[in-house]
Amino acid sequence: MEQTETKQPEERRPYDVIVIGAGAAGMMAAGTAAHAGKRVLLLEKMEKSGRKVRITGKGRCNVTNARPAEEFAQQVRTNAEFFAPAFAAFNNKATIRFFERQGVKLDVERGERVFPHSGKAWDIANALLEYCVENGVKILYETRVTGILTLGDRIFGVRYINKRGFERKEECRQAIVATGGVSYPATGSTGDGYAFAADLGHTIEPLRPSLTPLVSSHPQIKYMHGLLLRNVKAVLYIDNEPVREEFGEIGFSERGIEGAVALRVSRDAVDALIEQRRVKLVLDLKPALTAEMLRERIARERAEMGKTDFFGELLRKLVPKGLVMPLAQELDIHSKNYLSKVTDAEIDRLIRTLKSMTFPITDYAPFEYAVTTAGGVRCDEVNPHTMESLKVQGLYFAGEVLDLDANTGGYNLQIAFSTGRLAGMLKK
């Protein structure tokens, strides 16, 4: 009888790269490495990729910001110089080209913010996923990394628990940590990468919420939930010294004072509160008018109104409806007072309040409501031209796990794309 040759099982080849975290930075890194011909494994502990991307920008996804490079750099709040090489290698224009080549049409809106034309953040997340798949990245979901393995001072593998609960180990030459921060933890950002980095000798700068709502002790704020104020000037004071001024929209909710203006000043406010300093936010509700111009406008409004009109009706001509009652209570003038009985001193108080309504800031919303995380892996322990660790060969970092954060407006996602792209290029 003819003997058949027994086929020996093929020896499994180690991965060139294992990327930990399938968020914006991780998918960009994995797809980039695979596109360059690397054998890539992408590990994600959640059941799908891009969980945070899919909800960012209130579900619309502010992909990047189209401002010129110099203006863009001014919006990076921490370690802007470190970020510069990554941005130079893959800037906002490159990001726009990347997504359009992936079939996502983009629009540039007010403030140079870039959004998908569809208004759907899912299009961005799916484009990143397709980039990985079409370049041959192997993706394992519901897979929790438990450690990064080293031999001497270099990477040789990753240990993880798969979706069936079994511990496994995969060897690799390089590992990219793109696990995000600790903001929106329900999306899987629970700080795993900080633990991996610390275990391998990296320093972690203290973590705190950034771009987060601010909590005020103002007695009327509970009546202002749902109120949105446009074209407002806000000045943040720390220990009675003005430290930051912003202009735009501000909103109020059960989470606190939010909206673009509040989020932009929140980084300074959070740091000051941690240091137990006095913080307040002063709003100019009529920044286009001087106090004298406002006085003249109020005089004209009063002249056109009848003696039996109420004070609340005057306020309604000056501020949105939702602010009438809180403002009347702030001034201690009943909204049903006859306008004819309102004194000049009370009008002076109204003008001062419209120009400087003051909200003592006593706390900030937790990580669950923060857009991004401040703090993270110290940037001076990472090569800015490659994103490789200066402590462990073959270890790379990308995205929010680094001590990099910026203002709201598309800047933080660009940080993820730029650092992810650079890490995925694996120059060594």
Side-chain angles (χ1 to χ4, degrees):
M1 188 172 79
E2 186 180 347
Q3 283 189 327
T4 57
E5 184 179 347
T6 304
K7 190 174 182 180
Q8 297 296 320
E10 189 177 322
E11 186 177 353
R12 191 167 63 172
R13 183 163 60 92
Y15 286 96
D16 296 311
V17 189
I18 295 179
V19 181
I20 307 169
M27 285 192 284
M28 180 63 80
T32 299
H35 184 73
K38 302 289 186 180
R39 187 165 181 256
V40 182
L41 175 64
L42 177 57
L43 302 178
E44 169 55 46
K45 70 178 183 182
M46 303 301 283
E47 78 288 352
K48 67 175 68 167
S49 62
R51 284 285 300 270
K52 189 173 178 183
V53 175
R54 295 173 195 274
I55 64 168
T56 191
K58 297 180 180 177
R60 295 185 63 223
C61 190
N62 189 177
V63 181
T64 187
N65 193 288
R67 292 184 189 277
E70 318 80 56
E71 294 181 25
F72 194 104
Q74 292 171 7
Q75 302 298 320
V76 180
R77 298 296 306 277
T78 313
N79 294 311
E81 290 183 7
F82 172 87
F83 177 62
F87 187 72
F90 192 77
N91 62 15
N92 45 4
K93 293 179 181 178
T95 295
I96 291 169
R97 286 196 300 270
F98 170 84
F99 283 107
E100 289 183 336
R101 285 172 183 162
Q102 288 296 119
V104 182
K105 185 179 179 182
L106 301 173
D107 293 332
V108 180
E109 299 186 4
R110 182 170 50 86
E112 299 300 301
R113 296 174 300 161
V114 180
F115 291 88
H117 179 73
S118 65
K120 296 177 181 177
W122 281 66
D123 288 350
I124 299 300
N126 289 341
L128 287 165
L129 179 59
E130 287 169 12
Y131 179 56
C132 291
V133 171
E134 67 194 13
N135 282 292
V137 175
K138 181 177 180 180
I139 308 174
L140 296 181
Y141 295 107
E142 298 179 85
T143 299
R144 182 170 61 86
V145 173
T146 56
I148 298 174
L149 307 173
T150 57
L151 187 61
D153 64 349
R154 71 166 299 110
I155 293 293
F156 86 87
V158 168
R159 187 175 61 246
Y160 62 88
I161 297 174
N162 65 19
K163 65 190 299 182
R164 296 174 62 193
F166 296 112
E167 187 168 77
R168 294 286 185 263
K169 181 179 73 175
E170 288 288 352
E171 293 185 12
C172 63
R173 297 179 180 88
Q174 292 155 321
I176 301 173
V177 178
T179 49
V182 288
S183 59
Y184 292 130
T187 64
S189 297
T190 53
D192 301 355
Y194 304 127
F196 302 148
D199 286 345
L200 296 172
H202 276 276
T203 308
I204 308 302
E205 290 295 321
L207 308 177
R208 58 261 193 229
S210 186
L211 304 181
T212 195
L214 299 172
V215 177
S216 175
S217 59
H218 193 290
Q220 310 308 327
I221 201 165
K222 57 182 176 291
Y223 303 114
M224 298 169 69
H225 292 175
L227 178 64
L228 177 66
L229 301 175
R230 294 184 171 88
N231 303 319
V232 169
K233 184 176 83 171
V235 180
L236 182 73
Y237 285 79
I238 297 175
D239 292 337
N240 288 323
E241 291 292 328
V243 297
R244 191 172 180 86
E245 180 179 306
E246 294 287 347
F247 180 87
E249 291 185 354
I250 200 159
F252 300 83
S253 75
E254 66 282 353
R255 294 180 293 273
I257 305 174
E258 49 189 16
V261 165
L263 295 185
R264 287 199 292 267
V265 304
S266 68
R267 172 65 189 277
D268 294 310
V270 168
D271 286 348
L273 289 167
I274 289 171
E275 295 168 3
Q276 298 186 323
R277 300 170 72 183
R278 296 191 310 280
V279 181
K280 65 182 178 182
L281 191 63
V282 178
L283 304 186
D284 183 348
L285 305 177
K286 297 291 179 183
L289 303 176
T290 64
E292 193 52 44
M293 292 165 67
L294 191 52
R295 188 184 306 279
E296 290 172 3
R297 177 181 168 182
I298 291 171
R300 288 196 302 272
E301 297 287 4
R302 292 183 75 179
E304 293 172 5
M305 297 172 73
K307 291 185 178 181
T308 57
D309 285 326
F310 298 127
F311 179 62
E313 295 172 77
L314 172 64
L315 293 183
R316 184 65 188 90
K317 293 176 180 292
L318 299 171
V319 298
K321 183 178 179 181
L323 190 54
V324 169
M325 290 303 295
L327 188 56
Q329 291 171 332
E330 168 88 351
L331 296 166
D332 196 24
I333 305 172
H334 199 286
S335 63
K336 294 297 185 183
N337 274 14
Y338 287 122
L339 194 54
S340 59
K341 296 187 179 299
V342 176
T343 66
D344 289 344
E346 289 172 328
I347 292 298
D348 287 343
R349 200 158 76 245
L350 169 60
I351 292 169
R352 285 196 302 272
T353 303
L354 289 172
K355 296 295 290 179
S356 59
M357 193 169 185
T358 301
F359 294 84
I361 304 300
T362 54
D363 202 353
Y364 50 88
F367 283 111
E368 284 80 359
Y369 304 115
V371 174
T372 189
T373 305
V377 176
R378 276 186 63 151
C379 289
D380 60 4
E381 297 175 356
V382 177
N383 185 334
H385 300 284
T386 62
M387 295 295 122
E388 186 178 18
S389 165
L390 296 174
K391 293 177 173 289
V392 181
Q393 293 182 54
L395 175 65
Y396 293 75
F397 297 99
E400 199 176 347
V401 71
L402 289 160
D403 184 20
L404 275 175
D405 66 286
N407 284 328
T408 184
Y411 304 101
N412 287 289
L413 265 179
Q414 183 63 53
I415 287 174
F417 298 138
S418 295
T419 57
R421 186 74 163 198
L422 193 55
M425 291 169 71
L426 302 160
K427 293 179 182 178
K428 288 185 70 175

